[in-house]
Amino acid sequence: MAAAASHQQQHRHPKRRRLALALTTSPTPDAAPPLDALADELLFLSFALASRACHAAESRHRRAVRPLRADLLPAALARYPCATRLDLSLCARVPDAALSSSSCSASASAIRAVDLSRSRGFGAAGVAALTSSCPELADLDLSNGVDLGDAAAAEVARAKGLRRLSLARWKPLTDMGLGCVAVGCAELRQLSLKWCLGVTDLGIQLLALKCRKLTSLDISYTMITKDSFPAIMKLPNLQELTLVGCIGIDDDALCSLEKECSKSLQVLDLSQCQNITDVGVSSIMKSVPSLLELDLSFCCPVTPSMVRSFQKIPKLRTLKLEGCKFMADGLKAIGTSCVSLRELSLSKCCGVTDTELSFTMSRLKNLLKLDITCCRNITDVSLEAITSSCTSLISLRMESCSRVSSNALQLIGKHCSHLEELDLTDSDLDDEGLKALARRSKLSSLKIGICLKISDEGLTHIGRSCPKLRDIDLYRCGGLSDDGIIQIAQGCPMLESINLSYCTEITDRSLISLSKCTKLNTLEIRGCPMITSTGLSEIAMGCRLLSKLDIKKCFEINDVGMLYLSQFSHSLRQINLSYCSVTDIGLLSLSSISGLQNMTIVHLAGITPNGLTATLMLCGCLTKVKLHEAFKSMVPPHMIKNVEARGCVFQWIDKPFKVEMEPCDVWKQQSQDVLVR
């Protein structure tokens, strides 16, 4: 009986019997591999079960959801019930209905963070649905809600557990709406009210009274005055205060704080506060004894007396003075009064001389980051002082320091052994300088655009010695060819971004080698006329993370390249294909890239109004499109309105058709002539 049952079971499951035989029988040299012996149905069932198991595991463990379209939101939340972060930054338009439909999902109750900073189309009703369906909401970014006001703010106030909130650019918001938020969200730690032009001192005072746990407050470009300051400075836990471009803040406002003291404040940003002078800055220093970072960029002249007041903040680590004018001995005073500095920015400053900069550098021996971009009066003397005194530098930016010689630039590679980020754009750098820099194997970012003396020889040294390089800018380096780029591609497998714009000798060989850099996400090859669709197709197949592509004036790139992008580059978010040989066929193929957000298609001779219209309608995630002015009258107005209703912004460009490209040395000379004038 048992034998009969066994025979019957084998008869019912012949495929199982074949599987058992395949696994137990010793294979002969001529026998087929085990998988080949399995029935197709069994293989399908096995893979289906494995896929189902993977799907279930992903569903349980995924914590972030980033749908491409708002209508996919309910399905995404249902599929990932354990998700705690909802990122809608790819959805240009999120209507109230989408947020309301998501509130019906039980999984929405687990969401703790929502990003709607790049989305439009929703109002107070959508915000109400969001806050009611997400009781655990702690992080909400509603930046750029230019049409949102007090009604929406009242709905935000229902999220009692909010810790981080951004209402930047809520221009209709008034003190009434801010008051609702202040009363309802007493647990707030971080708040941004940047460009909230309707907010006044009254709203800020109420906020400071109710939200006592605030640690970060950004009220840049608001209309606040000195009446707000005492209440702000009394916040017991405030660590970061950002006041960029607050024209109502003047010396009187800062001087009024002499009796106030914020022992918790660590970061203060007063950049672009144009009504502040050195007197006001000096007066506030005694009120912020724990300050670690101070930003006075484009604010006021730097005087010795103002800098000496920094002695009252002995813990100061970061000082940003971009665009400031230095008075006599002002820079020297930094060397004597700010000896604990780790980061100093003097970008675009006037009055920076060799004498004062050298003295300051000799005192700041622990400096880690230095920015002297466009300090055009410094020479080799300054660089010698920097490299001999600040040997711990990890970041050095000195773009357009045109009076520093190539010999002096070699000192960077010889002495700055910890360097990770270097910007020598528009400098006298040559191959010997690159050879010296190759000693710095920790380099991750190298910007050497408009360096006309470098060649493949110098770039070869970098490729062979800097394996950690992630970002390299070779803009308008006319002396480079494929050989140098191939060395970079082979020696820098971590490469994420490369700019080869106007390197006119570059061909498809470079792109074929770069296609092996699988982490590459940004490729700029504008003005490389010898590159064709062959090279671009290799990039599309090899660099699946590509998100930004600039192929303007690559005349030989045609529809074939676009077809490869549509097939393989599903991460593409931004593309510029002006002046290419793309027609309607290639342009339409790009519509299959579901996440494409930004397109520039000025002077694309091969496209027609019908092809352009069809592409715009099919690319549902577009947020910004640049078109030539001539197309404005050719595309049906109702089509443009439909695309704009999805959240897309059109920028109409009226530039003449220009194919010719100046040689790099001619272009540089023209740029310098304009600067002198």
Side-chain angles (χ1 to χ4, degrees):
M1 183 181 243
S6 175
H7 175 75
Q8 185 177 6
Q9 187 175 7
Q10 289 182 4
H11 179 72
R12 287 178 182 173
H13 303 285
K15 295 188 180 89
R16 260 187 221 170
R17 184 168 179 273
R18 267 182 278 166
L19 175 60
L21 289 172
L23 295 177
T24 56
T25 306
S26 298
T28 62
D30 297 329
L35 280 178
D36 291 345
L38 297 180
D40 291 341
E41 294 86 346
L42 184 58
L43 279 173
F44 178 79
L45 177 61
S46 300
F47 286 123
L49 291 174
S51 299
R52 189 176 300 174
C54 291
H55 179 280
E58 183 197 22
S59 177
R60 289 192 303 270
H61 294 285
R62 181 178 286 275
R63 294 294 180 265
V65 176
R66 195 183 189 194
L68 293 172
R69 302 195 311 271
D71 58 296
L72 300 175
L73 182 55
L77 291 176
R79 178 172 179 176
Y80 303 109
C82 297
T84 58
R85 177 173 179 79
L86 177 60
D87 184 352
L88 295 168
S89 59
L90 293 179
C91 304
R93 183 174 176 82
V94 181
D96 291 338
L99 294 175
S100 298
S101 63
S102 66
S103 66
C104 301
S105 174
S107 57
S109 60
I111 296 294
R112 294 183 56 81
V114 177
D115 186 352
L116 281 160
S117 60
R118 297 184 180 180
S119 305
R120 296 185 178 184
F122 61 92
V127 176
L130 181 65
T131 55
S132 63
S133 62
C134 304
E136 300 296 321
L137 196 60
D139 185 342
L140 181 57
D141 192 342
L142 298 173
S143 302
N144 302 307
V146 292
D147 298 320
L148 300 176
D150 294 342
E155 300 301 336
V156 170
R158 298 179 184 274
K160 305 293 184 182
L162 274 181
R163 298 293 194 275
R164 180 183 177 276
L165 174 64
S166 178
L167 305 179
R169 295 186 183 274
W170 279 36
K171 295 183 180 180
L173 182 68
T174 69
D175 294 338
M176 182 177 296
L178 182 56
C180 293
V181 172
V183 173
C185 305
E187 298 296 318
L188 273 178
R189 303 299 197 274
Q190 300 177 42
L191 176 63
S192 175
L193 298 171
K194 185 177 181 180
W195 282 108
C196 292
L197 301 179
V199 172
T200 69
D201 293 324
L202 180 63
I204 299 298
Q205 290 168 356
L206 180 58
L207 177 72
L209 180 65
K210 295 295 183 180
C211 299
R212 305 294 291 169
K213 298 180 181 180
L214 274 175
T215 61
S216 176
L217 179 61
D218 186 348
I219 45 179
S220 301
Y221 301 105
T222 59
M223 297 294 107
I224 65 164
T225 67
K226 67 178 182 179
D227 294 337
S228 299
F229 261 49
I232 293 173
M233 297 297 284
K234 288 178 181 178
L235 285 168
N237 302 300
L238 190 64
Q239 298 177 8
E240 183 175 356
L241 179 60
T242 306
L243 301 165
V244 179
C246 290
I247 59 176
I249 302 299
D250 54 17
D251 288 349
D252 288 341
L254 299 182
C255 292
S256 68
L257 298 176
E258 287 187 291
K259 296 181 180 180
E260 303 293 341
C261 182
S262 175
K263 295 182 179 180
S264 62
L265 195 64
Q266 298 179 1
V267 180
L268 177 61
D269 190 344
L270 294 170
S271 57
Q272 300 184 48
C273 290
Q274 299 176 358
N275 292 323
I276 291 176
T277 70
D278 58 309
V279 176
V281 173
S282 300
S283 67
I284 198 177
M285 290 301 104
K286 66 178 67 175
S287 301
V288 287
S290 301
L291 206 63
L292 299 176
E293 181 176 331
L294 177 62
D295 192 340
L296 298 173
S297 300
F298 299 100
C299 182
C300 62
V302 180
T303 63
S305 59
M306 183 185 84
V307 175
R308 283 194 292 270
S309 70
F310 295 166
Q311 294 176 351
K312 299 171 185 175
I313 44 176
K315 298 179 181 179
L316 189 65
R317 296 293 183 269
T318 300
L319 180 60
K320 298 179 180 180
L321 300 170
E322 182 177 350
C324 291
K325 180 180 181 180
F326 277 87
M327 309 306 289
D329 295 328
L331 185 53
K332 271 188 177 181
I334 293 177
T336 56
S337 302
C338 308
V339 293
S340 298
L341 278 184
R342 298 294 183 270
E343 180 178 353
L344 176 62
S345 176
L346 304 174
S347 173
K348 304 179 182 69
C349 287
C350 298
V352 177
T353 63
D354 281 335
T355 303
E356 296 203 16
L357 184 59
S358 299
F359 175 84
T360 301
M361 292 299 102
S362 67
R363 299 298 186 93
L364 303 181
K365 295 184 180 297
N366 295 318
L367 202 64
L368 298 178
K369 296 182 178 182
L370 176 64
D371 188 348
I372 49 175
T373 297
C374 294
C375 291
R376 302 180 187 277
N377 293 325
I378 66 171
T379 66
D380 297 358
V381 175
S382 291
L383 192 56
E384 290 173 4
I386 293 170
T387 54
S388 61
S389 300
C390 307
T391 55
S392 298
L393 280 176
I394 61 174
S395 175
L396 176 59
R397 299 181 180 182
M398 47 184 301
E399 175 184 348
S400 298
C401 293
S402 52
R403 297 183 64 186
V404 178
S405 71
S406 57
N407 290 332
L409 291 173
Q410 295 180 32
L411 297 174
I412 300 173
K414 293 178 180 179
H415 298 292
C416 301
S417 58
H418 302 284
L419 208 59
E420 298 176 8
E421 178 186 11
L422 180 62
D423 187 349
L424 295 177
T425 303
D426 190 16
S427 69
D428 201 39
L429 183 69
D430 58 12
D431 288 340
E432 287 300 315
L434 285 177
K435 183 178 180 180
L437 287 176
R439 303 176 185 179
R440 308 284 70 95
S441 59
K442 295 181 180 179
L443 267 180
S444 62
S445 176
L446 179 61
K447 297 184 178 181
I448 48 177
I450 326 178
C451 292
L452 305 185
K453 292 184 177 181
I454 65 174
S455 69
D456 295 334
E457 180 184 349
L459 213 56
T460 298
H461 293 298
I462 297 295
R464 291 176 178 175
S465 305
C466 301
K468 296 182 179 180
L469 199 65
R470 296 177 180 273
D471 176 17
I472 186 167
D473 188 342
L474 300 168
Y475 174 80
R476 285 191 183 273
C477 291
L480 299 179
S481 70
D482 293 326
D483 294 337
I485 305 306
I486 290 173
Q487 292 296 327
I488 291 293
Q490 292 177 348
C492 307
M494 310 292 287
L495 200 65
E496 296 178 3
S497 174
I498 185 168
N499 187 348
L500 298 172
S501 296
Y502 299 104
C503 295
T504 53
E505 299 302 314
I506 300 300
T507 72
D508 290 338
R509 288 180 59 216
S510 291
L511 267 61
I512 292 171
S513 64
L514 287 170
S515 67
K516 307 299 189 297
C517 300
T518 56
K519 295 187 177 182
L520 193 70
N521 59 59
T522 300
L523 177 62
E524 298 180 65
I525 49 176
R526 171 186 301 206
C528 295
M530 300 174 69
I531 287 178
T532 72
S533 292
T534 301
L536 184 59
S537 64
E538 293 291 332
I539 290 291
M541 290 187 289
C543 306
R544 301 297 182 90
L545 299 179
L546 190 68
S547 62
K548 180 181 178 182
L549 177 64
D550 188 346
I551 52 176
K552 179 180 178 180
K553 292 192 176 181
C554 293
F555 309 114
E556 299 300 319
I557 291 181
N558 54 28
D559 292 341
V560 174
M562 300 302 103
L563 292 171
Y564 272 92
L565 289 176
S566 66
Q567 182 70 23
F568 298 103
S569 300
H570 297 297
S571 297
L572 196 63
R573 299 288 178 264
Q574 180 177 337
I575 185 170
N576 184 345
L577 39 83
S578 302
Y579 291 92
C580 293
S581 300
V582 176
T583 69
D584 290 346
I585 296 174
L587 193 62
L588 276 167
S589 69
L590 294 178
S591 62
S592 64
I593 304 175
S594 54
L596 191 61
Q597 294 181 304
N598 191 320
M599 293 179 67
T600 301
I601 42 182
V602 181
H603 295 307
L604 208 57
I607 63 172
T608 66
N610 289 337
L612 175 61
T613 302
T615 302
L616 293 176
M617 294 303 295
L618 291 172
C619 293
C621 289
L622 285 176
T623 58
K624 185 176 182 180
V625 177
K626 291 184 180 180
L627 293 170
H628 194 271
E629 184 77 24
F631 276 109
K632 197 170 187 178
S633 59
M634 300 180 187
V635 179
H638 70 277
M639 291 293 185
I640 295 177
K641 290 183 178 179
N642 285 339
V643 177
E644 288 177 334
R646 297 197 309 239
C648 182
V649 175
F650 284 93
Q651 185 175 349
W652 302 98
I653 308 296
D654 187 14
K655 287 185 177 180
F657 186 82
K658 183 180 180 182
V659 176
E660 298 78 12
M661 294 181 291
E662 302 88 352
C664 294
D665 53 347
V666 175
W667 178 89
K668 182 174 181 177
Q669 185 60 51
Q670 291 175 347
S671 301
Q672 291 174 344
D673 292 344
V674 171
L675 186 63
V676 170
R677 288 198 294 269

